[in-house]
Amino acid sequence: MRSALAPGVWFLRAFSRDSWFRGFILLLTFFIYTCYHMSRKPISVVKSRLHQNCSELIKPINDSHSLNDTTWCDWAPFDKNNYKELLGAVDNAFLVAYAIGMFISGIFGERLPLRYYLSAGMLLSGLFTSLFGLGYFWNIHMLWYFVLIQICNGLVQTTGWPSVVTCVGNWFGKGKRGLIMGIWNSHTSVGNILGSLIAGIWVNEQWGLSFVVPGIITAAMGVITFLFLIEYPEDVDCTPPQHHTSDGLEENQHNPEDLGSGPYTNKESSLETPARCSKEPSAQPAAISFLGALRIPGVVEFSLCLLFAKLVSYTFLYWLPLYIFNVAHFNAKQAGDLSTLFDVGGIMGGIMAGLISDYTNGRATTCCIMLILAAPMMFLYNFIGQSGIINSIVMLIICGALVNGPYALITTAVSADLGTHQSLKGNAKALSTVTAIIDGTGSIGAALGPLLAGLISPTGWNNVFYMLISADILACLVRVLGVHTWALVGVNVLSCQARTREVQIVGREGLWNMRTAAFHSEPLSSHE
């Protein structure tokens, strides 16, 4: 007689081998991109340390600055009155390089093994993040050094997003993609939180460690990625996901928002059978071209929507600690810690957006509703958010959820839906390029946001928030116009498909009569 299984063993047996591998890949890619974002966050925390009010600090006994020097505690070259413009230049060196590199990165990601590509990217990202912090220990005060390091870091960071989305897309089908990727995408906010907390430990003392420590962690994660990442389920004899149902076309004709298929896709693609369990190299499809990816319905509209949504999100990412430091008058560490609540809200918003979009089968509608609600919430946060610590906490969480929810949904579930669109006829090679196009366009907004904030903030923080609210409204308008346009296209194509089927039926049933009548018909007049 067998004894009862231990609860732990019963739990292990409750999941299939495929489920364990999928869970492992989801967790591994979660940690990978957590490290990417963790290494980006320290600069926003350290900004308030590079330029601060020295009159409120006690001057060290061994300090070599003169008694009348009011910038003795600042770090040159950020000790001048134009420090906001210089800090904005450092931010944009990273973000512009990231935006440009993202369009190229997806092309490389489809043609190189993801394990090598991600591992090299994480090692280099860890190196450049550490080099920025080593500028403190090497006593470097030249602006070009920090700008150059940020450019290099921005380029190598582009290896991350297309690769992890492609890997997760290879392992998970469309069924609950919104919820799964909504939970998974919390790595962005978790990375921001960890980056803020780690940077806050050393920001008031040796701020160089605020960069060196995250850099070392990121490089170590690159080694783990090289050892354990599995790109395809077939590589370990797991069953690949089925991205589309056999009746996908008919099912989605009633919902033009569904990005996996639609009335304007080729019907033949909906009859594609799922991939077999064993991967055959001879049957691998060719990678899609850049222009080919742009022709996928929804790619351009969601890319432009993300441009404005990411403009808002990244302005908060890079300038929120400084805003809290200047307006609420917290010290650098407290401002950095409080800013993490925006990312806590981002985690909730990403999960909520994914869950709602799965339930309603409407990614675009979910994005638009959250964007509409975000505009008044940002307005309220600017005017009442600093009136008390409770108000600040509540408003930061709400704003984080509404701002990052659409951003998270577009960069994950929407990108994966479009990258496995039925018009591609099962060619999953497009996933990396589509992801890169969408996130690359969004990164243009990510570069513009902090740049505009640096230029506008000297005129007052109110104007910065007006700019953010305007961008939020534009993101919603772009998406609404996109849905309307493709709905019209879908109706026209459905009409064409119906007429084509009529002609085919008439052709099959009356072919002989048509041929016979041809001998007796009169020539068509020129105007017919």
Side-chain angles (χ1 to χ4, degrees), residues 14-71:
F15 299 94
S16 66
R17 180 176 179 275
D18 285 13
S19 297
W20 280 112
F21 270 106
R22 284 190 170 88
F24 172 73
I25 292 299
L26 200 68
L27 191 63
L28 181 61
T29 51
F30 179 93
F31 287 132
I32 288 172
Y33 211 69
T34 294
C35 290
Y36 271 105
H37 254 267
M38 177 186 64
S39 63
R40 298 178 196 175
K41 186 63 177 177
I43 182 65
S44 66
V45 178
V46 174
K47 275 180 184 176
S48 55
R49 173 63 180 82
L50 299 177
H51 187 98
Q52 53 188 330
N53 188 354
C54 301
S55 61
E56 298 177 354
L57 303 175
I58 301 175
K59 197 171 187 178
I61 299 175
N62 58 350
D63 188 79
S64 59
H65 293 82
S66 65
L67 295 175
N68 297 325
D69 189 355
T70 58
T71 62

Side-chain angles (χ1 to χ4, degrees), residues 242-494:
Q242 183 175 355
H243 293 292
H244 303 288
T245 59
S246 60
D247 59 344
L249 180 65
E250 291 78 2
E251 175 185 321
N252 290 290
Q253 285 179 355
H254 304 291
N255 186 8
E257 287 186 14
D258 190 2
L259 306 171
S261 60
Y264 37 78
T265 57
N266 189 343
K267 185 175 180 180
E268 291 178 5
S269 63
S270 66
L271 302 177
E272 294 288 330
T273 55
R276 299 188 180 278
C277 296
S278 59
K279 188 171 61 176
E280 299 181 19
S282 60
Q284 285 296 301
I288 193 171
S289 66
F290 185 86
L291 291 177
L294 285 177
R295 293 191 191 101
I296 299 173
V299 169
V300 174
E301 297 93 313
F302 272 108
S303 297
L304 293 175
C305 179
L306 184 63
L307 185 150
F308 294 108
K310 209 166 181 180
L311 184 153
V312 178
S313 180
Y314 266 66
T315 303
F316 274 100
L317 173 67
Y318 279 92
W319 287 90
L320 182 58
L322 187 62
Y323 169 76
I324 296 172
F325 178 81
N326 288 334
V327 176
H329 306 295
F330 289 103
N331 63 37
K333 185 179 185 306
Q334 291 171 334
D337 292 344
L338 190 60
S339 70
T340 61
L341 293 172
F342 183 83
D343 294 298
V344 172
I347 295 174
M348 299 177 184
I351 296 173
M352 183 171 60
L355 186 61
I356 294 172
S357 69
D358 275 343
Y359 180 76
T360 62
N361 201 25
R363 311 275 196 227
T365 302
T366 304
C367 289
C368 288
I369 291 175
M370 296 186 80
L371 289 169
I372 291 170
L373 294 175
M377 288 299 106
M378 287 189 287
F379 181 84
L380 288 175
Y381 171 66
N382 183 40
F383 278 91
I384 68 171
Q386 306 304 328
S387 59
I389 188 65
I390 301 299
N391 287 343
S392 184
I393 291 172
V394 173
M395 293 303 298
L396 276 173
I397 292 175
I398 294 175
C399 287
L402 295 175
V403 168
N404 283 340
Y407 160 43
L409 187 62
I410 294 172
T411 53
T412 54
V414 169
S415 296
D417 287 351
L418 293 173
T420 54
H421 197 277
Q422 281 190 256
S423 62
L424 300 171
K425 299 183 180 180
N427 182 2
K429 284 287 187 179
L431 187 51
S432 184
T433 297
V434 168
T435 303
I437 289 173
I438 292 177
D439 200 50
T441 306
S443 297
I444 296 174
L448 286 175
L451 174 63
L452 292 174
L455 296 174
I456 297 173
S457 58
T459 67
W461 287 104
N462 287 346
N463 295 329
V464 175
F465 274 86
Y466 294 147
M467 179 267 292
L468 296 177
I469 292 170
S470 301
D472 184 82
I473 294 171
L474 285 172
C476 183
L477 289 176
V478 167
R479 188 52 224 151
V480 168
L481 292 175
V483 171
H484 180 68
T485 301
W486 279 112
L488 292 177
V489 172
V491 170
N492 291 335
V493 174
L494 274 176

